[in-house]
Amino acid sequence: MSLLGLAGRAPAARESGFAAYQAGVDRLLASYRAIPPDANIRLAKKTSNLFRARAKNTAPGLDVSGLTQVIAVDPEQRTAEVAGMTTYEDLVAVTLQYGLAPLVVPQLKTITLGGAVTGLGIESTSFRNGLPHESVLEIDVLTGAGEIITATPDGEHADLFRGFPNSYGTLGYSTRLKIELEPVKPYVALRHIRFHDLRELEAEMARIVSDRSYAGEQVDYLDGVVFTADESYLVLGRQTDEPGPVSDYTGMEIFYRSLQHDSDRPKRDRLTISDYLWRWDTDWFWCSRAFGAQNPKIRRWWPQRYRRSSFYWKLIALDHKYHIGDKLEARQGNPPRERVVQDIEVPIERTADFLEWFLRDIPIEPIWLCPLRLRDDNGTGRPWPLYPLEPGRSYVNVGFWSAVATTPGQPEGAANRAIERKVSELDGHKSLYSDSYYGPEEFAELYYGGGTYARLEKDYNPDHRLLDLYSKAVQRK
């Protein structure tokens, strides 16, 4: 359909979208009222991208089934209004029809917009566009008190707008978000640059973040992969509308393996914009290898509809429920393995320090790298108090997702605890979607923004219907 046709039906589509959204809100509020007053409030949601276990809850949950749609797109203003539980897969499918995309599209299809904002998200545009919550213009939130309020950067609830990122549903749940969009071209031209030294990779990454170009060519997307200390890559993407052949990594070929080469010259590739945005989802980065899905003999018969992160997550959930991996280790006389599934941020100038330590002490590979820089500070110093990255400073998100052998006599989570100590030593921060082991005082110092979180809880969760952040992130309640 042409953009003219889309524009012609926009008013009717907007009206229909808001009617569906309001029906979803009504269903949500009815489910809130049905939850016993002494029960904690949770989402009645079958899927999740969280990796921390949670205690079972027998109370009914919030019905968010009516909050999964794109409400409206304004192609002239380059904005979209989106229900909070809408997945990025569904959001991008709509916005690409207008030649637009969210400023940051997290790498897995079933991450929701509301989840990325309250739990933080990141991707290869983050070195120029920051984090998903920075492109939010306004947000409707169902608070712990059962009220739906609208928070904006400068309105009555600006404190909640700033404190919502990294609150993980402990201050409320987003029902609607209005976000900025940016124009995108149909293709992404890629260059895979190999490094033999982590210090050289760090220095080049910092230069690209600053210059937004490499060897005279614009860089619109930037991330990287570390295979070993002497084999790492930066992946540079440039938007283009030039026609030509494109690669397909949804079939037998595997994206992260396509990066590897021996030449000192960049290896080039091309993808459609849609395939680029979801390049990591087909194999859940590289985690599909744990299920044999990268074995050509198995992959050939693995249905393509199941080559996606949401299906691999279901397999992980079964392992968590029935402890399949631990039982297999026990049959071989081995102790249970410790899950090390984390994303952390360190200042860009400490990237090599962290990687060298990690490869030596926590031997997991590959490792994902994603540079980021907050868009601006609006003159407020540290604008997002529950995850206080410094404005004007470049960071690198380091992602690693696997398990390591446990050592008898070591405390639970020994490897994760060591990572937490190292990240703090390097003036970094750790995301809270997975296991955390901080003590209450250290956690409060890192994630509560001084007295900010306590004030927000008092105002928006006065009866403690929602679990607090420490209870959720560390105590797994």
Side-chain angles (χ1 to χ4, degrees):
M1 180 178 290
S2 70
L3 294 187
L4 181 61
L6 286 168
R9 70 175 192 178
R14 179 182 177 84
E15 184 176 343
S16 174
F18 271 98
Y21 167 69
Q22 188 57 55
V25 168
D26 292 342
R27 198 181 312 168
L28 173 73
L29 291 173
S31 68
Y32 176 93
R33 292 189 288 268
I35 299 173
D38 59 346
N40 289 127
I41 294 170
R42 285 185 176 174
L43 300 181
K45 190 168 173 275
K46 294 181 180 180
T47 61
S48 173
N49 284 284
L50 295 178
F51 270 85
R52 40 181 161 79
R54 296 193 303 171
K56 291 184 178 179
N57 186 24
T58 57
L62 292 173
D63 183 355
V64 293
S65 60
L67 300 173
T68 60
Q69 72 277 13
V70 178
I71 301 167
V73 175
D74 186 333
E76 293 185 1
Q77 296 297 316
R78 295 178 182 171
T79 62
E81 298 191 56
V82 186
M85 299 299 155
T86 305
T87 65
Y88 274 93
E89 179 178 24
D90 291 340
L91 172 56
V92 165
V94 173
T95 63
L96 285 184
Q97 296 180 59
Y98 299 89
L100 300 169
L103 271 64
V104 180
V105 179
Q107 55 274 47
L108 304 181
K109 292 179 175 179
T110 55
I111 293 175
T112 63
L113 177 59
V117 169
T118 193
L120 302 185
I122 194 169
E123 236 297 331
S124 59
T125 56
S126 289
F127 77 105
R128 58 183 177 87
N129 287 341
L131 300 172
H133 56 267
E134 295 190 272
S135 55
V136 175
L137 300 172
E138 63 182 42
I139 180 170
D140 289 351
V141 178
L142 173 67
T143 69
E147 301 173 330
I148 293 184
I149 59 96
T150 299
T152 61
D154 304 311
E156 177 185 358
H157 303 291
D159 58 346
L160 180 61
F161 185 89
R162 289 294 181 186
F164 197 73
N166 211 51
S167 64
Y168 282 90
T170 66
L171 299 174
Y173 294 102
S174 59
T175 63
R176 178 190 63 92
L177 304 99
K178 184 176 181 180
I179 63 170
E180 298 175 69
L181 304 172
E182 69 175 7
V184 291
K185 294 180 180 179
Y187 306 103
V188 178
L190 298 175
R191 286 174 292 171
H192 309 318
I193 304 170
R194 176 166 179 168
F195 295 86
H196 302 274
D197 181 272
L198 294 173
R199 301 281 164 181
E200 293 179 4
L201 176 140
E202 175 188 286
E204 191 58 60
M205 189 161 46
R207 279 193 289 272
I208 294 171
V209 169
S210 176
D211 298 344
R212 299 190 182 181
S213 66
Y214 175 83
E217 196 171 318
Q218 180 174 313
V219 176
D220 298 311
Y221 305 97
L222 173 64
D223 63 349
V225 176
V226 176
F227 289 91
T228 64
D230 57 7
E231 185 189 3
S232 57
Y233 299 86
L234 289 179
V235 181
L236 318 183
R238 176 179 56 84
Q239 293 187 28
T240 178
D241 52 13
E242 300 168 6
V246 293
S247 297
D248 179 5
Y249 297 104
T250 63
M252 292 297 292
E253 300 301 316
I254 298 169
F255 178 71
Y256 82 100
R257 289 299 181 193
S258 75
L259 312 183
Q260 295 182 279
H261 63 274
D262 295 327
S263 173
D264 289 333
R265 299 178 63 184
K267 180 181 179 182
R268 293 189 176 262
D269 199 357
R270 281 169 50 93
L271 294 172
T272 66
I273 180 62
S274 179
D275 282 351
Y276 176 79
L277 293 175
W278 304 128
R279 67 202 182 285
W280 292 122
D281 190 84
T282 300
D283 285 284
W284 206 3
F285 284 84
W286 32 81
C287 297
S288 66
R289 64 184 179 182
F291 312 108
Q294 294 182 26
N295 182 323
K297 295 180 180 179
I298 297 174
R299 193 178 185 89
R300 184 171 289 107
W301 301 104
W302 193 292
Q304 190 163 1
R305 67 182 180 277
Y306 294 145
R307 289 188 212 132
R308 52 183 287 141
S309 61
S310 56
F311 181 71
Y312 304 133
W313 169 249
K314 291 179 181 179
L315 299 180
I316 289 287
L318 288 173
D319 178 58
H320 291 173
K321 183 176 182 178
Y322 297 109
H323 306 288
I324 298 170
D326 289 347
K327 290 175 181 177
L328 291 174
E329 291 292 335
R331 290 182 63 178
Q332 299 178 44
N334 300 324
R337 292 175 65 80
E338 178 185 349
R339 183 177 62 193
V340 182
V341 178
Q342 304 287 355
D343 279 71
I344 63 96
E345 272 94 39
V346 293
I348 198 166
E349 68 272 15
R350 307 309 299 271
T351 305
D353 292 338
F354 180 82
L355 291 172
E356 288 167 357
W357 171 84
F358 185 87
L359 289 168
R360 182 180 67 249
D361 287 23
I362 316 285
I364 289 175
E365 54 76 28
I367 303 165
W368 186 54
L369 305 179
C370 188
L372 71 134
R373 190 179 178 93
L374 296 184
R375 291 174 66 188
D376 59 62
D377 67 357
N378 292 327
T380 59
R382 289 190 169 192
W384 309 104
L386 304 194
Y387 205 79
L389 302 177
E390 294 182 25
R393 191 175 192 183
S394 298
Y395 293 82
V396 173
N397 175 280
V398 185
F400 37 91
W401 316 290
S402 190
V404 297
T406 57
T407 302
Q410 290 290 314
E412 179 190 2
N416 284 282
R417 293 173 192 268
I419 291 166
E420 290 175 353
R421 290 192 297 271
K422 191 65 177 180
V423 170
S424 293
E425 175 189 321
L426 298 177
D427 198 23
H429 252 59
K430 190 184 86 164
S431 297
L432 298 176
Y433 71 85
S434 190
D435 300 312
S436 295
Y437 294 89
Y438 298 107
E441 292 183 1
E442 184 179 10
F443 186 87
E445 181 181 351
L446 291 171
Y447 297 103
Y448 280 173
T452 300
Y453 186 74
R455 290 193 296 271
L456 291 171
E457 266 211 308
K458 181 180 178 181
D459 290 342
Y460 299 105
N461 187 29
D463 300 319
H464 301 285
R465 300 292 307 279
L466 301 167
L467 287 168
D468 67 87
L469 189 55
Y470 187 76
S471 296
K472 240 183 177 181
V474 181
Q475 296 179 322
R476 307 176 189 175
K477 292 184 179 179

